[in-house]
Amino acid sequence: MSESVITPKEAAPRLSSLFSRAYLFGTLMLGGGIMLHAVETYITATLMPSIVRDIGGLSLFAWATTIYVAASVLGSTFVAVRPEGVTLNRCYVFGAVLFGIGSLVCAIAPTMETVLIGRAIQGLGAGFLVALGYAFIRFVYPQPLWSTASTLYAAAWGIATFLGPTIGGIFAAGSDWREAFALLIPLSILMAVSAPKLLPSGEGERVTTKTPFVQIVLLVAAVVMLSFASSVTAPALRAALAAAAVIGVVVTIAIERRAEARLLPAGTISLASPLARVYLIMLMLLVTVCSDVYIPYFLQVLHGVTPLVSGYLVALLALGWTAAAFSTAGLKGRRANRVIIAGAALEALATALLVFTLARHNPAGDLMLLTLATVFIFLMGFGIGMGWAHLVTHVLHLAPSGETDKASAAITTMQALGAAFGAALAGIIVNSTGLLQPGGTEGAVTAARWLYAVLALPAALAILLAVTLPPEKAAPAD
């Protein structure tokens, strides 16, 4: 499909171009896979306070996100290092089936530990689906539509901002949350059955290497140690686990620099590589935005918001991402880079301002205070959305010859690591600053203030990297 010829007019970054006859089925499948992941994300965000009220496990709250995204690293990596003969559409089937199995485990889980097992299986499947969304772009669309196809994912997340919280809010009472997970099972089956019929095989030029097993194990271990650090109560043990996680990342980088079996494309370990800087920007922006894992909890505990409304409010973050993606999709060259910088600055500022709005006890339901917090939640998403599609386009253009699959899968790896480290760091911060001890309203206020003050910093650091990016390449006119 990628050989199809389009006119310059059709190459304009308009979402409607993706729904022409030539691309319709591919668009529906890729958008559907992202949608399945996105809707589930907001269902879980809305339901987590209800789940811990029903079966306990508040200290494991952040684990539901961390273990999900840690598992997705494994799924996304397999897409890049899959054995010869395993096509991309077969990977899609496998990912959809795993997602459905994980949803089933969550639906029948008697304890929080079992929920986490289901979330791990879901995450593994989601890693396949999201990585395949990026990997399929070059097979389904011509190059002038790559940036627009990346915007498609923002559209999927935008729709999910309404569907996810609605489904989660409807099933938030008592043990009804189980039914929300059960709804995802038939959708997963539908996607698995449709993939071989509606998607190209996805075989093309790629460099075949051994699986970077050691690097994967070390990264996942680092995420798990950070997650343990977020749930233990002893300060010394928490510090030791956090230090071990940092060592794991450093060792991974050292191995990746010299390894024959690489997790990332060649040359992306050094900051001298523009592709390395793009990946690092993605990682830091996502660490900051994943401070949203506790937004529903703080809205319900500090502002007296219902589960349904809190789900919609946190979903405004994704809505902001979607709105920004559409409004900036047409920018090219240095203008695209400038919007990446501006977006990182806006995300950092909006996150920091939640210290003064969301991190306040609001028993009277002061509408002005809640409105300001809502605006900043929206702007967090708007900031990252301003530059995300352009960062994706940078990756596709900067990928070394023959390593496009690996470069595309690495986008999902960065997303997964950013979300995993962001959620784990969020857990460490809130559990260290009062959420569990003294707990209650006082502890929640203190924890929220520290959380948003500290996690605004990664997005601020991303600004410094963004100013060094080369101009985005223009697509050739066919």
Side-chain angles (χ1 to χ4, degrees), residues 295 299 303 305 309 312-314 316-317 354 357-358 367-380:
I295 287 177
L299 286 171
H303 296 265
V305 174
V309 173
Y312 279 123
L313 293 183
V314 73
L316 286 174
L317 189 149
L354 288 177
T357 52
L358 182 61
L367 188 59
M368 178 61 71
L369 189 62
L370 188 58
T371 300
L372 286 173
T374 299
V375 169
F376 296 140
I377 292 169
F378 177 85
L379 291 178
M380 283 176 67

Side-chain angles (χ1 to χ4, degrees), residues 41-50 53 61 161 164-166 168-170 172 292-318 358 370 373-374 377:
T41 297
Y42 285 103
I43 289 175
T44 303
T46 304
L47 290 177
M48 277 306 297
S50 300
R53 282 193 294 266
F61 194 101
T161 62
T166 299
I170 290 172
D292 72 340
V293 66
Y294 282 96
I295 287 177
Y297 182 82
F298 291 137
L299 286 171
Q300 293 178 40
V301 172
L302 298 179
H303 296 265
V305 174
T306 65
L308 177 61
V309 173
S310 70
Y312 279 123
L313 293 183
V314 73
L316 286 174
L317 189 149
L358 182 61
L370 188 58
T374 299
I377 292 169

Side-chain angles (χ1 to χ4, degrees), residues 319-403:
L319 188 62
W321 187 324
T322 302
F326 286 130
S327 63
T328 62
L331 300 179
K332 300 295 179 184
R334 297 191 183 280
R335 294 178 66 194
N337 283 359
R338 284 196 289 268
V339 83
I340 294 172
I341 297 168
L346 180 60
E347 182 186 348
L349 179 61
T351 304
L353 289 174
L354 288 177
V355 172
F356 308 101
T357 52
L358 182 61
R360 295 273 295 275
H361 189 207
N362 184 22
D366 185 338
L367 188 59
M368 178 61 71
L369 189 62
L370 188 58
T371 300
L372 286 173
T374 299
V375 169
F376 296 140
I377 292 169
F378 177 85
L379 291 178
M380 283 176 67
F382 196 92
I384 192 171
M386 286 173 69
W388 188 262
H390 300 293
L391 290 169
V392 170
T393 303
H394 270 306
V395 170
L396 297 176
H397 283 303
L398 294 170
S401 177
E403 294 198 275

Side-chain angles (χ1 to χ4, degrees), residues 72-463:
S72 71
V73 173
L74 301 178
S76 64
T77 302
F78 181 85
V79 172
V81 299
R82 65 193 187 279
E84 287 289 342
V86 178
T87 59
L88 291 180
N89 56 6
R90 289 182 183 175
C91 288
Y92 195 104
V93 172
F94 191 45
V97 169
L98 283 172
F99 195 92
I101 293 173
S103 300
L104 176 61
V105 173
C106 289
I108 63 177
T111 64
M112 178 60 77
E113 288 77 8
T114 311
V115 170
L116 296 181
I117 293 173
R119 291 286 287 161
I121 300 172
Q122 273 189 323
L124 191 60
F128 276 82
L129 297 177
V130 178
L132 288 166
Y134 291 112
F136 264 121
I137 285 179
R138 65 193 179 101
F139 293 104
V140 175
Y141 308 107
Q143 184 176 336
L145 286 177
W146 285 358
S147 180
T148 308
S150 300
T151 306
L152 169 68
Y153 300 156
W157 279 93
I159 297 172
T161 62
F162 297 100
L163 292 180
T166 299
I167 296 171
I170 290 172
F171 296 104
S175 295
D176 291 346
W177 55 269
R178 301 179 185 278
E179 298 176 23
F181 285 107
L183 285 176
L184 300 174
I185 299 172
L187 295 175
S188 302
I189 295 173
L190 177 63
M191 302 302 290
V193 171
S194 302
K197 302 174 183 178
L198 301 181
L199 287 173
S201 64
E203 280 299 287
E205 179 191 2
R206 67 189 180 96
V207 174
T208 303
T209 63
K210 297 178 181 178
T211 302
F213 182 75
V214 176
Q215 297 97 303
I216 294 171
V217 169
L218 284 171
L219 283 177
V220 173
V223 171
V224 171
M225 283 186 285
L226 271 183
S227 298
F228 274 119
S230 72
S231 57
V232 300
T233 56
L237 180 57
R238 182 180 297 142
L241 288 168
V246 172
I247 292 172
V249 173
V250 172
V251 173
T252 301
I253 293 172
I255 293 173
E256 180 77 4
R257 190 182 299 275
R258 298 175 176 82
E260 178 183 349
R262 298 186 312 274
L263 182 64
L264 300 175
T268 53
I269 290 302
S270 170
L271 281 179
S273 163
L275 184 56
R277 297 197 293 275
V278 172
Y279 284 142
L280 195 54
I281 292 168
M282 288 177 159
L283 181 71
M284 290 192 291
L285 292 179
L286 284 161
V287 167
T288 291
V289 86
C290 283
S291 61
D292 72 340
V293 66
Y294 282 96
I295 287 177
Y297 182 82
F298 291 137
L299 286 171
Q300 293 178 40
V301 172
L302 298 179
H303 296 265
V305 174
T306 65
L308 177 61
V309 173
S310 70
Y312 279 123
L313 293 183
V314 73
L316 286 174
L317 189 149
L319 188 62
W321 187 324
T322 302
F326 286 130
S327 63
T328 62
L331 300 179
K332 300 295 179 184
R334 297 191 183 280
R335 294 178 66 194
N337 283 359
R338 284 196 289 268
V339 83
I340 294 172
I341 297 168
L346 180 60
E347 182 186 348
L349 179 61
T351 304
L353 289 174
L354 288 177
V355 172
F356 308 101
T357 52
L358 182 61
R360 295 273 295 275
H361 189 207
N362 184 22
D366 185 338
L367 188 59
M368 178 61 71
L369 189 62
L370 188 58
T371 300
L372 286 173
T374 299
V375 169
F376 296 140
I377 292 169
F378 177 85
L379 291 178
M380 283 176 67
F382 196 92
I384 192 171
M386 286 173 69
W388 188 262
H390 300 293
L391 290 169
V392 170
T393 303
H394 270 306
V395 170
L396 297 176
H397 283 303
L398 294 170
S401 177
E403 294 198 275
T404 308
D405 279 357
K406 183 173 288 187
S408 300
I411 296 172
T412 307
T413 301
M414 292 302 109
Q415 286 182 295
L417 290 176
F421 283 118
L425 287 172
I428 291 174
I429 293 167
V430 299
N431 290 339
S432 301
T433 56
L435 186 68
L436 299 179
Q437 189 64 248
T441 301
E442 178 186 352
V445 169
T446 304
R449 287 174 178 169
W450 276 100
L451 175 64
Y452 298 111
V454 173
L455 286 191
L457 298 178
L461 292 174
I463 301 171

Side-chain angles (χ1 to χ4, degrees), residues 34-59:
I34 301 297
M35 181 76 69
L36 194 65
H37 162 62
V39 168
E40 186 278 337
T41 297
Y42 285 103
I43 289 175
T44 303
T46 304
L47 290 177
M48 277 306 297
S50 300
I51 293 173
V52 298
R53 282 193 294 266
D54 186 34
I55 61 175
L58 178 59
S59 64

